[in-house]
Amino acid sequence: MLGNMSAAMSLSPSALEDAEVLLSEMQVCSNRRINRLLEANQDCEISMIDAGRRFTGRIAEGRFLHTIILLHDNLNHWRSDCSCRDGSLCVHSLTLLSLLLDVNDLNDLPAPNFHPAAANAHAQPPVALTRNTLVSQVTDRLQRKLTTAETRLLLTLEAMHRTVRDGYTVSVTRIRDLGVSVAFDKLEAWTDLRTLAPVDCDDTLVWWGNVAAALTPHKLVMPQFLAMLTDLTAAKARLRQWQRASLVQKWHQTLQTSIRSFSPNAARQPTQVTDLRLGIHPPTSICLEGRQAATGEYRPLTTKILKHLHEDGLPSAWPPEALILWSTFFSHHVYTGYTHAANYSLNDHGARRALVDVLRLPSLASRIVDANGEMLTRPTEKLRWELTPVSTPDEDYALHLVLPDGKPVTQILATFHAHPLNYYLTPTAIYQGPRAPTGMDGLAQLQAIPAPAIESPAGAQWLQALDVPLPPRLAARVRHETAQVTIRCALHRNHTYNRTEMCSFRINSASPDGSHMERWLNRETGWRAEQTPTLPKDEPPASSDSPIRLYDQSPQQAAVAFLHELDVRWSQEYDGVAARVTKVFPDRFAAWLRRAPPHVQILLDGELASLAQADIAGQIRLDVSEADVDWFDLRVVVDVSDTTLSPEEIKLLLAAHGGFVRLPNKGWRRMAFNLSDEEQESLARLGLSPRELDAEPQRLHALQLADATSRRMLPTAQAERVERRAAEIRLRATPEIPAGITAQLRPYQIDGFHFLAYLAVNHFGGILADDMGLGKTLQALTWLLWLRAEAGKEPGAVLIVCPKSVTDNWLAEAARFAPALRVRIWHGGEAAAGLATPAVADVHVINYNQLRLAEESVCSADWLAVVLDEGQYIKNPSSQVSQIARRMRARHRLVLTGTPIENRLLDLWSLLSFAMPGALGTRAQFGRTFDAKGDPFSRRRLAARVRPFLLRRTKDQVASDLPPRVEEDLFCELEGHQLALYQAERKRAQQLLLGIQSDKQLSEQRFNI
């Protein structure tokens, strides 16, 4: 019929318009899927049922073929019916509608070749394919046509609402599809939208208003179009009402649950078990038993009680032993699935492990009982193996466990291995005894062992391992020999691209004749027999009367224990154990070689053999050369016994300070100095340590080298030149007392002033460490007057830092003994500003707390001198005060203290790090050289190094007018945590000066070394 129509037929204008609007709106949500269906159904056959009004077709999607009926009714609405039953948003209907719009002439459409009603399984009326409800609602509200972006937003919002209303989870992050942003600092990204706002509303905009009100505290930002459609005022009121109702409902449920927990009928009855023990029930059963509160009897725990104990927890009234038994036993069974079981078999692996742990604890001895409830005894006697002798080879040996008196032990239920002894469980007792033979299931197999099996090499070794005396017939054939054990060590490179070096170890044991060889692999495998040389064909087999060799295994055990003194690990690559060759490996390996057991031979391959060689013997000589005014360079000249070493290699050995050096093609070598006690003491008096000597010269002052021992280590001419220079230095530092001092200084105070002047002349810093009451302040004031006079017209200011309690004492002492000095004491916070202009006074006095506050001012100024009174305030080198003091700029530095050492030698290092930086090296070098424990010369080296920079005098020395002696001050006072390091060898100095000046000049000089 359609084919006979002459005029071209097309859809009516209303049908076309409505179809285009539908497709523009609906494809926003399903655009990708519709495009995919359009590409796959370009050849879809569309049939026309009624002219221009009713159409049908089939759309293929995957392996499904959907039948669709399209109808344009009298109300200008498109209606559809599809076999997919997806409703009005069916993508198959939209796809068919899109294909229909591409048909130029409806007359070309064929008639359907199938019955449309029969094709659709459901006989429902066609669904109206009308315009989207939310889009229509917003369009009518705004009275304008929506843009594509606005339509997409509304369709996405409606789909999201429909998903939430159907009960599905929608994460709060999905609102980003709407162009909305929130802050997730206090809001989890996986929060469900259903928990934020009520979902029981049909209006999508109302639901969105509730969600927006809930997200407002989280910095909600919406597009302008969506914000225009959202009524937050009404939504916030609805949200508060819904949140209140939800809170009330939640509390209703919480209270109902709480009431049920208090209900006597609902509450679980507590377990009436007050104690716990472990029962042994022969032949193979063990059981946890609980004491009943009502009767006091012990009964096996039932499954119900065990379940309650696991879920509700153990009663708090249980004794500690019961709690230990529970936790120890069940820790081995929870993972095996026996959580609610109390009966176990002795054959169960987990039960055996638990029982071994219980047997190890003496406190649980009373908790292990027999079938009658009696505690199992634990005899102190240990069991031993006893072999029943036989008289003929046709008889069988029997191996029994017996008590020390020979009585047999019967009915052994189980054997538990617990190194070094085993536990043997009987129905009434628990014994300790020797190890049980491995590879045998029970003791019953030990009752009948054929005599030929025992009277063989294997049988003899087996009895030896069990520590069983050999039977007479076997003992007569045994020859005891000691195995020879060797440890072969070799170096290996792991890979060509990895420079890590390894040292492998192989332990082998062999009989003296080489007929029996074994190799040790690791702790788990132990010793493994190597291939034994086969006997010649013409040699007859060993007879039953041939000798049997038994090898003493103690060298093997000693070798394994000796090897594990090193940090060795199993290495699959070397089929044995190996250790990494690190920086400390040579020292550890050399020390390990010296501890080798007597019966163990160590074979060294390659460069390892050098670690067994003796150290290179070195003889040292000292040589000095003048480097600067009053300073000398001390060099070490080494004579070595090994003539194959080059000068460069000797220099490397010296730089290692007694450590190993790996020389090319010569292995590891180290140098040891053959120094006598006298030579070591001579080095110590020069402040030197044999381990610190190297080829580089050391810069020392003439006063540090001016010691009687220098003649023993230095050439005669050089020693005399050093001594003359030291005498000249002392002569230069004996000025007259300044005229501005109004006090009469005592002789020792004049010596102290000369010491301070000597420091200034030589540009040294130093420490005046006289006892309290000997006038350190007066000596310092005298020195400051002389120092300012020597400095010229603009000498600069002096800074004195002292405790707050003695600041006024400095002002009073200066006014009394040195009135020419302008002394200014700064109080509180005015020090920071006042010290910025040092010229306002000759001497500035602040306390240590002000030093921290005025750090910038004191560190930026250039001081003539800085004096730290009570210098123990900087004894901690890491403190802020010590760090500030070391940063100050001063031409002269002085520390006044009565206790240069209070608790440790590091106190002295901290003082000198301010007064004479670098004199004692770094903190680490000081610990190695001068504070080494066990080094008898370390303190003498310290005395030599600080000799030019420290003066220490006690009241007893001043009262007796005797100079301090080196050994007495250095070692006796250190016992009381004090230090007397300044040496005054006046007689010896006078003898040195006899050739330089007359006796009259010498009598007017007072100086100290």
Side-chain angles (χ1 to χ4, degrees), residues 159-219:
M160 191 181 301
H161 180 214
R162 184 170 57 253
T163 304
V164 171
R165 191 172 52 188
D166 292 343
Y168 296 100
T169 301
V170 176
S171 172
V172 71
T173 56
R174 288 287 305 277
I175 65 173
R176 294 173 179 173
D177 298 340
L178 304 175
V180 177
S181 65
V182 294
F184 288 101
D185 51 349
K186 297 182 180 180
L187 181 68
E188 289 80 2
W190 54 84
T191 303
D192 188 2
L193 288 178
R194 297 177 299 172
T195 64
L196 292 178
V199 297
D200 54 348
C201 54
D202 297 333
D203 193 329
T204 302
L205 290 179
V206 173
W207 170 79
W208 167 248
N210 298 335
V211 174
L215 295 177
T216 299
H218 301 284
K219 301 179 181 179

Side-chain angles (χ1 to χ4, degrees), residues 378-384 402-405 430-433:
R378 293 199 177 199
T380 57
E381 301 88 355
K382 293 180 174 57
L383 304 181
R384 62 178 177 86
V402 297
L403 294 171
D405 56 3
I430 302 171
Y431 293 94
Q432 282 188 310

Side-chain angles (χ1 to χ4, degrees), residues 781 784 798-802 810 843-847 865-867 869:
L781 290 172
L784 291 178
V798 175
L799 177 66
I800 296 177
V801 186
C802 61
W810 275 95
V843 179
H844 300 265
V845 181
I846 62 174
N847 58 53
V866 173
V867 180
D869 193 9

Side-chain angles (χ1 to χ4, degrees), residues 326-340:
W326 174 274
S327 59
T328 303
F329 197 83
F330 270 91
S331 64
H332 292 284
H333 285 271
V334 171
Y335 68 91
T336 60
Y338 297 112
T339 305
H340 303 311

Side-chain angles (χ1 to χ4, degrees), residues 656-675:
H657 303 300
F660 278 101
V661 178
R662 196 170 189 177
L663 302 176
N665 302 322
K666 295 180 181 179
W668 283 279
R669 304 303 302 273
R670 65 180 173 185
M671 181 178 292
F673 298 106
N674 295 328
L675 298 176

Side-chain angles (χ1 to χ4, degrees), residues 692-761:
E692 297 295 327
L693 296 177
D694 53 27
E696 298 298 326
Q698 298 191 42
R699 184 69 54 88
L700 296 178
H701 194 264
L703 293 179
Q704 292 175 308
L705 292 172
D707 189 89
T709 59
S710 63
R711 287 184 172 272
R712 305 172 189 169
M713 306 296 295
L714 296 174
T716 303
Q718 295 179 2
E720 291 177 353
R721 186 167 69 251
V722 169
E723 291 178 353
R724 286 195 301 269
R725 181 60 57 82
E728 293 173 0
I729 293 173
R730 300 185 189 102
L731 287 176
R732 294 199 303 260
T734 55
E736 297 294 335
I737 304 299
I741 293 296
T742 61
Q744 182 67 35
L745 272 67
R746 298 179 181 180
Y748 74 87
Q749 292 175 336
I750 297 176
D751 290 342
F753 162 60
H754 288 167
F755 167 74
L756 300 180
Y758 137 77
L759 292 177
V761 168

